[in-house]
mmCIF file of all heavy atoms in Angstrom:
data_model
loop_
_atom_site.group_PDB
_atom_site.id
_atom_site.type_symbol
_atom_site.label_atom_id
_atom_site.label_comp_id
_atom_site.label_asym_id
_atom_site.label_seq_id
_atom_site.Cartn_x
_atom_site.Cartn_y
_atom_site.Cartn_z
ATOM 1 N N VAL A 1 8.767 5.543 11.451
ATOM 2 C CA VAL A 1 8.713 5.156 10.033
ATOM 3 C C VAL A 1 9.114 3.617 9.905
ATOM 4 O O VAL A 1 8.507 2.859 9.190
ATOM 5 C CB VAL A 1 9.578 5.983 9.144
ATOM 6 C CG1 VAL A 1 9.745 5.309 7.773
ATOM 7 C CG2 VAL A 1 9.021 7.353 9.090
ATOM 8 N N LEU A 2 10.148 3.213 10.623
ATOM 9 C CA LEU A 2 10.601 1.836 10.603
ATOM 10 C C LEU A 2 9.496 0.950 11.162
ATOM 11 O O LEU A 2 9.175 -0.101 10.626
ATOM 12 C CB LEU A 2 11.905 1.662 11.443
ATOM 13 C CG LEU A 2 13.125 2.302 10.864
ATOM 14 C CD1 LEU A 2 14.327 2.006 11.741
ATOM 15 C CD2 LEU A 2 13.377 1.909 9.378
ATOM 16 N N LEU A 3 8.854 1.411 12.277
ATOM 17 C CA LEU A 3 7.714 0.611 12.834
ATOM 18 C C LEU A 3 6.554 0.577 11.904
ATOM 19 O O LEU A 3 5.930 -0.473 11.718
ATOM 20 C CB LEU A 3 7.300 1.272 14.174
ATOM 21 C CG LEU A 3 8.249 1.176 15.356
ATOM 22 C CD1 LEU A 3 7.735 1.996 16.489
ATOM 23 C CD2 LEU A 3 8.566 -0.274 15.752
ATOM 24 N N ARG A 4 6.329 1.581 11.166
ATOM 25 C CA ARG A 4 5.242 1.675 10.200
ATOM 26 C C ARG A 4 5.549 0.683 9.049
ATOM 27 O O ARG A 4 4.555 0.017 8.569
ATOM 28 C CB ARG A 4 5.121 3.092 9.657
ATOM 29 C CG ARG A 4 3.941 3.271 8.684
ATOM 30 C CD ARG A 4 3.866 4.683 8.201
ATOM 31 N NE ARG A 4 2.805 4.821 7.128
ATOM 32 C CZ ARG A 4 2.577 5.939 6.544
ATOM 33 N NH1 ARG A 4 3.203 7.034 6.838
ATOM 34 N NH2 ARG A 4 1.630 5.966 5.607
ATOM 35 N N ILE A 5 6.771 0.626 8.582
ATOM 36 C CA ILE A 5 7.124 -0.284 7.533
ATOM 37 C C ILE A 5 6.952 -1.705 7.945
ATOM 38 O O ILE A 5 6.449 -2.575 7.253
ATOM 39 C CB ILE A 5 8.538 0.019 7.042
ATOM 40 C CG1 ILE A 5 8.629 1.334 6.329
ATOM 41 C CG2 ILE A 5 9.006 -1.144 6.064
ATOM 42 C CD1 ILE A 5 10.038 1.779 5.963
ATOM 43 N N VAL A 6 7.376 -2.029 9.183
ATOM 44 C CA VAL A 6 7.205 -3.352 9.711
ATOM 45 C C VAL A 6 5.801 -3.766 9.824
ATOM 46 O O VAL A 6 5.361 -4.877 9.469
ATOM 47 C CB VAL A 6 7.941 -3.491 11.100
ATOM 48 C CG1 VAL A 6 7.552 -4.834 11.802
ATOM 49 C CG2 VAL A 6 9.450 -3.406 11.003
ATOM 50 N N TRP A 7 4.928 -2.828 10.320
ATOM 51 C CA TRP A 7 3.483 -3.064 10.459
ATOM 52 C C TRP A 7 2.878 -3.239 9.024
ATOM 53 O O TRP A 7 1.989 -4.075 8.844
ATOM 54 C CB TRP A 7 2.870 -1.912 11.159
ATOM 55 C CG TRP A 7 1.396 -2.147 11.471
ATOM 56 C CD1 TRP A 7 0.330 -1.539 10.824
ATOM 57 C CD2 TRP A 7 0.783 -3.038 12.388
ATOM 58 N NE1 TRP A 7 -0.849 -2.004 11.312
ATOM 59 C CE2 TRP A 7 -0.579 -2.932 12.300
ATOM 60 C CE3 TRP A 7 1.357 -3.890 13.367
ATOM 61 C CZ2 TRP A 7 -1.482 -3.664 13.111
ATOM 62 C CZ3 TRP A 7 0.491 -4.592 14.185
ATOM 63 C CH2 TRP A 7 -0.921 -4.498 13.985
ATOM 64 N N LYS A 8 3.379 -2.506 8.050
ATOM 65 C CA LYS A 8 2.886 -2.641 6.690
ATOM 66 C C LYS A 8 3.130 -3.984 6.151
ATOM 67 O O LYS A 8 2.296 -4.650 5.498
ATOM 68 C CB LYS A 8 3.539 -1.556 5.842
ATOM 69 C CG LYS A 8 3.038 -1.502 4.370
ATOM 70 C CD LYS A 8 3.776 -0.392 3.630
ATOM 71 C CE LYS A 8 3.358 -0.361 2.162
ATOM 72 N NZ LYS A 8 1.987 0.199 2.026
ATOM 73 N N TRP A 9 4.355 -4.560 6.467
ATOM 74 C CA TRP A 9 4.669 -5.872 5.913
ATOM 75 C C TRP A 9 3.791 -6.957 6.616
ATOM 76 O O TRP A 9 3.556 -7.970 6.080
ATOM 77 C CB TRP A 9 6.230 -6.157 6.233
ATOM 78 C CG TRP A 9 7.077 -5.491 5.249
ATOM 79 C CD1 TRP A 9 6.776 -4.967 4.015
ATOM 80 C CD2 TRP A 9 8.481 -5.177 5.415
ATOM 81 N NE1 TRP A 9 7.834 -4.415 3.442
ATOM 82 C CE2 TRP A 9 8.874 -4.501 4.269
ATOM 83 C CE3 TRP A 9 9.355 -5.453 6.433
ATOM 84 C CZ2 TRP A 9 10.243 -4.087 4.094
ATOM 85 C CZ3 TRP A 9 10.681 -5.031 6.258
ATOM 86 C CH2 TRP A 9 11.082 -4.363 5.115
ATOM 87 N N MET A 10 3.419 -6.742 7.880
ATOM 88 C CA MET A 10 2.703 -7.705 8.661
ATOM 89 C C MET A 10 1.189 -7.715 8.270
ATOM 90 O O MET A 10 0.481 -8.624 8.793
ATOM 91 C CB MET A 10 2.865 -7.395 10.117
ATOM 92 C CG MET A 10 4.280 -7.611 10.674
ATOM 93 S SD MET A 10 4.519 -7.043 12.390
ATOM 94 C CE MET A 10 3.203 -8.024 13.237
ATOM 95 N N ASN A 11 0.753 -6.675 7.567
ATOM 96 C CA ASN A 11 -0.688 -6.568 7.279
ATOM 97 C C ASN A 11 -0.962 -6.578 5.823
ATOM 98 O O ASN A 11 -0.150 -6.159 5.023
ATOM 99 C CB ASN A 11 -1.246 -5.275 7.886
ATOM 100 C CG ASN A 11 -1.396 -5.348 9.340
ATOM 101 O OD1 ASN A 11 -2.486 -5.517 9.942
ATOM 102 N ND2 ASN A 11 -0.303 -5.059 10.094
ATOM 103 N N ARG A 12 -2.187 -7.041 5.507
ATOM 104 C CA ARG A 12 -2.645 -6.901 4.115
ATOM 105 C C ARG A 12 -2.846 -5.419 3.876
ATOM 106 O O ARG A 12 -3.188 -4.700 4.767
ATOM 107 C CB ARG A 12 -4.009 -7.736 3.904
ATOM 108 C CG ARG A 12 -5.152 -7.145 4.694
ATOM 109 C CD ARG A 12 -6.388 -7.976 4.532
ATOM 110 N NE ARG A 12 -6.744 -8.090 3.167
ATOM 111 C CZ ARG A 12 -7.701 -8.977 2.726
ATOM 112 N NH1 ARG A 12 -8.362 -9.712 3.633
ATOM 113 N NH2 ARG A 12 -8.005 -9.083 1.498
ATOM 114 N N GLN A 13 -2.803 -5.028 2.613
ATOM 115 C CA GLN A 13 -3.058 -3.705 2.214
ATOM 116 C C GLN A 13 -4.527 -3.596 1.586
ATOM 117 O O GLN A 13 -4.850 -4.462 0.784
ATOM 118 C CB GLN A 13 -2.034 -3.150 1.300
ATOM 119 C CG GLN A 13 -0.642 -3.027 1.859
ATOM 120 C CD GLN A 13 -0.604 -2.171 3.160
ATOM 121 O OE1 GLN A 13 -0.878 -1.012 3.057
ATOM 122 N NE2 GLN A 13 -0.263 -2.834 4.259
ATOM 123 N N PRO A 14 -5.202 -2.582 1.946
ATOM 124 C CA PRO A 14 -6.536 -2.345 1.356
ATOM 125 C C PRO A 14 -6.473 -2.371 -0.156
ATOM 126 O O PRO A 14 -5.442 -1.835 -0.741
ATOM 127 C CB PRO A 14 -7.047 -1.012 1.912
ATOM 128 C CG PRO A 14 -6.305 -0.903 3.201
ATOM 129 C CD PRO A 14 -4.978 -1.476 2.976
ATOM 130 N N ALA A 15 -7.486 -2.821 -0.817
ATOM 131 C CA ALA A 15 -7.491 -2.884 -2.272
ATOM 132 C C ALA A 15 -7.560 -1.441 -2.838
ATOM 133 O O ALA A 15 -8.101 -0.545 -2.249
ATOM 134 C CB ALA A 15 -8.713 -3.709 -2.823
ATOM 135 N N ASP A 16 -6.967 -1.330 -4.059
ATOM 136 C CA ASP A 16 -7.033 -0.049 -4.732
ATOM 137 C C ASP A 16 -8.539 0.280 -5.089
ATOM 138 O O ASP A 16 -9.301 -0.560 -5.428
ATOM 139 C CB ASP A 16 -6.212 -0.056 -5.989
ATOM 140 C CG ASP A 16 -4.722 -0.151 -5.731
ATOM 141 O OD1 ASP A 16 -4.256 0.311 -4.726
ATOM 142 O OD2 ASP A 16 -3.997 -0.791 -6.526
ATOM 143 N N VAL A 17 -8.814 1.558 -5.029
ATOM 144 C CA VAL A 17 -10.128 1.990 -5.395
ATOM 145 C C VAL A 17 -10.180 1.883 -6.933
ATOM 146 O O VAL A 17 -9.139 1.963 -7.607
ATOM 147 C CB VAL A 17 -10.470 3.441 -5.016
ATOM 148 C CG1 VAL A 17 -10.498 3.515 -3.422
ATOM 149 C CG2 VAL A 17 -9.481 4.405 -5.552
ATOM 150 N N PRO A 18 -11.341 1.776 -7.543
ATOM 151 C CA PRO A 18 -11.411 1.731 -8.993
ATOM 152 C C PRO A 18 -10.767 2.898 -9.700
ATOM 153 O O PRO A 18 -10.890 4.028 -9.222
ATOM 154 C CB PRO A 18 -12.966 1.804 -9.281
ATOM 155 C CG PRO A 18 -13.557 1.192 -8.024
ATOM 156 C CD PRO A 18 -12.694 1.656 -6.954
ATOM 157 N N GLY A 19 -10.012 2.678 -10.730
ATOM 158 C CA GLY A 19 -9.258 3.692 -11.427
ATOM 159 C C GLY A 19 -8.472 3.106 -12.547
ATOM 160 O O GLY A 19 -8.380 1.893 -12.698
ATOM 161 N N SER A 20 -7.770 3.945 -13.345
ATOM 162 C CA SER A 20 -6.990 3.445 -14.452
ATOM 163 C C SER A 20 -5.674 2.861 -13.895
ATOM 164 O O SER A 20 -5.277 3.121 -12.780
ATOM 165 C CB SER A 20 -6.668 4.597 -15.400
ATOM 166 O OG SER A 20 -5.891 5.568 -14.818
ATOM 167 N N ARG A 21 -4.997 2.166 -14.773
ATOM 168 C CA ARG A 21 -3.654 1.612 -14.403
ATOM 169 C C ARG A 21 -2.654 2.691 -14.108
ATOM 170 O O ARG A 21 -1.887 2.579 -13.232
ATOM 171 C CB ARG A 21 -3.171 0.733 -15.534
ATOM 172 C CG ARG A 21 -1.785 0.092 -15.297
ATOM 173 C CD ARG A 21 -1.378 -0.913 -16.366
ATOM 174 N NE ARG A 21 -0.013 -1.404 -16.229
ATOM 175 C CZ ARG A 21 0.336 -2.324 -15.361
ATOM 176 N NH1 ARG A 21 -0.596 -2.881 -14.551
ATOM 177 N NH2 ARG A 21 1.610 -2.615 -15.161
ATOM 178 N N PHE A 22 -2.738 3.819 -14.915
ATOM 179 C CA PHE A 22 -1.856 4.941 -14.742
ATOM 180 C C PHE A 22 -2.103 5.554 -13.316
ATOM 181 O O PHE A 22 -1.117 5.852 -12.598
ATOM 182 C CB PHE A 22 -2.107 5.992 -15.743
ATOM 183 C CG PHE A 22 -1.340 7.246 -15.417
ATOM 184 C CD1 PHE A 22 0.017 7.316 -15.720
ATOM 185 C CD2 PHE A 22 -1.970 8.367 -14.893
ATOM 186 C CE1 PHE A 22 0.749 8.511 -15.515
ATOM 187 C CE2 PHE A 22 -1.304 9.516 -14.670
ATOM 188 C CZ PHE A 22 0.039 9.583 -14.931
ATOM 189 N N GLU A 23 -3.341 5.651 -12.898
ATOM 190 C CA GLU A 23 -3.636 6.230 -11.561
ATOM 191 C C GLU A 23 -3.086 5.352 -10.423
ATOM 192 O O GLU A 23 -2.474 5.874 -9.468
ATOM 193 C CB GLU A 23 -5.086 6.407 -11.425
ATOM 194 C CG GLU A 23 -5.714 7.559 -12.260
ATOM 195 C CD GLU A 23 -7.210 7.635 -12.114
ATOM 196 O OE1 GLU A 23 -7.893 6.547 -12.027
ATOM 197 O OE2 GLU A 23 -7.812 8.715 -12.105
ATOM 198 N N HIS A 24 -3.169 4.062 -10.627
ATOM 199 C CA HIS A 24 -2.678 3.165 -9.594
ATOM 200 C C HIS A 24 -1.186 3.163 -9.540
ATOM 201 O O HIS A 24 -0.581 3.192 -8.475
ATOM 202 C CB HIS A 24 -3.223 1.727 -9.928
ATOM 203 C CG HIS A 24 -4.672 1.504 -9.684
ATOM 204 N ND1 HIS A 24 -5.351 0.486 -10.235
ATOM 205 C CD2 HIS A 24 -5.571 2.292 -8.992
ATOM 206 C CE1 HIS A 24 -6.645 0.587 -9.961
ATOM 207 N NE2 HIS A 24 -6.797 1.698 -9.174
ATOM 208 N N LEU A 25 -0.513 3.162 -10.710
ATOM 209 C CA LEU A 25 0.932 3.259 -10.730
ATOM 210 C C LEU A 25 1.457 4.588 -10.154
ATOM 211 O O LEU A 25 2.447 4.614 -9.410
ATOM 212 C CB LEU A 25 1.442 3.110 -12.179
ATOM 213 C CG LEU A 25 1.297 1.666 -12.839
ATOM 214 C CD1 LEU A 25 1.678 1.738 -14.275
ATOM 215 C CD2 LEU A 25 2.184 0.695 -12.048
ATOM 216 N N ALA A 26 0.754 5.641 -10.489
ATOM 217 C CA ALA A 26 1.140 6.959 -9.932
ATOM 218 C C ALA A 26 1.003 6.971 -8.396
ATOM 219 O O ALA A 26 1.865 7.526 -7.662
ATOM 220 C CB ALA A 26 0.316 8.057 -10.550
ATOM 221 N N ALA A 27 -0.149 6.404 -7.936
ATOM 222 C CA ALA A 27 -0.341 6.388 -6.439
ATOM 223 C C ALA A 27 0.719 5.566 -5.754
ATOM 224 O O ALA A 27 1.273 6.024 -4.736
ATOM 225 C CB ALA A 27 -1.685 5.827 -6.153
#
């Protein structure tokens, strides 16, 4: 998990799929 978090910080995150603001906040 720690390695995963470090890798997450080192990489861009894929864009959210189309959806409402509530759906994005919930996700």
Side-chain angles (χ1 to χ4, degrees):
V1 170
L2 294 182
L3 292 174
R4 182 179 176 183
I5 291 173
V6 171
W7 185 255
K8 184 180 179 71
W9 284 340
M10 294 172 58
N11 286 262
R12 68 184 302 172
Q13 295 304 298
D16 292 328
V17 298
S20 67
R21 178 173 175 80
F22 172 78
E23 288 176 324
H24 291 160
L25 289 174

